[in-house]
Amino acid sequence: MSVLLPLSIREQNAELRLDWPKFRTVLFEPGRQRVIWRGEVWPGINRYKIEIEYSMERVIMGPKVRVVSPSLTRLPGNPEGSLPHVYERDTDPYLCLFDPRGREWTGSGCRFQKRLFLGRLIGLVCYEGWLLTGAWHGGGRHVTGEIGMSFDLEEAR
């Protein structure tokens, strides 16, 4: 059985640029093993400028993906939270795209494949639906902390 090692930051940068040629590298620190990319996606009604931050520290958890614009809207008092499916909701929210408990992102040999990542960004379509209806129809788990607390929406209903 062979063990796949994580791709280096240089390798990830090269791979992302192949699948996402319009994305720009805005920070590249090979010595610190960190990179940040920015680009636009259009998964539903709105076009979103997103920022993807990846470092060797993120190999297990997966990349941090922030919506740069338009700003994410909160619905105070919503039973599913003022802003579901994000980490650090109250400070610097970034999207919950991978469930670390479900080992959806392993880091070993992973790269930012366009189809995989686009599939995860469909969560923004669920976000748009949540804004319109007040209900999250995307399944998964809402997170309330980076490492632990979450609840499974399917079990909660």
Side-chain angles (χ1 to χ4, degrees):
M1 177 179 177
S2 65
V3 176
L4 292 175
L5 296 175
L7 296 177
S8 73
I9 293 302
R10 285 187 192 282
E11 291 168 322
Q12 285 286 18
N13 190 54
E15 293 290 336
L16 182 125
R17 303 282 295 162
L18 285 175
D19 284 340
W20 300 82
K22 292 186 178 182
F23 271 57
R24 296 290 167 245
T25 304
V26 295
L27 176 76
F28 184 64
E29 299 176 317
R32 289 187 60 205
Q33 294 291 302
R34 181 173 174 237
V35 63
I36 297 176
W37 304 280
R38 281 201 184 136
E40 286 190 344
V41 295
W42 195 353
I45 298 168
N46 295 312
R47 192 179 296 251
Y48 297 91
K49 181 186 274 186
I50 63 169
E51 177 179 277
I52 304 168
E53 178 182 342
Y54 189 69
S55 67
M56 295 313 283
E57 294 172 3
R58 303 291 310 171
V59 167
I60 302 300
M61 294 293 289
K64 278 188 176 183
V65 179
R66 292 179 179 86
V67 174
V68 176
S69 67
S71 296
L72 295 174
T73 302
R74 298 169 190 278
L75 298 179
N78 184 280
E80 298 187 48
S82 64
L83 186 57
H85 270 285
V86 296
Y87 293 106
E88 298 180 20
R89 174 186 354 245
D90 298 325
T91 55
D92 185 19
Y94 62 95
L95 304 178
C96 174
L97 300 176
F98 302 97
D99 182 357
R101 292 183 195 169
R103 298 177 191 237
E104 294 173 336
W105 176 276
T106 65
S108 298
C110 286
R111 69 184 195 90
F112 297 103
Q113 297 171 341
K114 189 170 189 174
R115 86 186 132 71
L116 167 73
F117 215 69
L118 269 177
R120 295 301 176 173
L121 289 174
I122 294 301
L124 287 170
V125 174
C126 299
Y127 160 77
E128 290 174 348
W130 172 78
L131 284 177
L132 293 171
T133 67
W136 184 267
H137 295 287
R141 296 182 222 218
H142 285 313
V143 292
T144 56
E146 175 139 3
I147 300 203
M149 300 170 46
S150 66
F151 65 90
D152 186 327
L153 288 179
E154 301 307 315
E155 291 177 5
R157 290 194 174 133

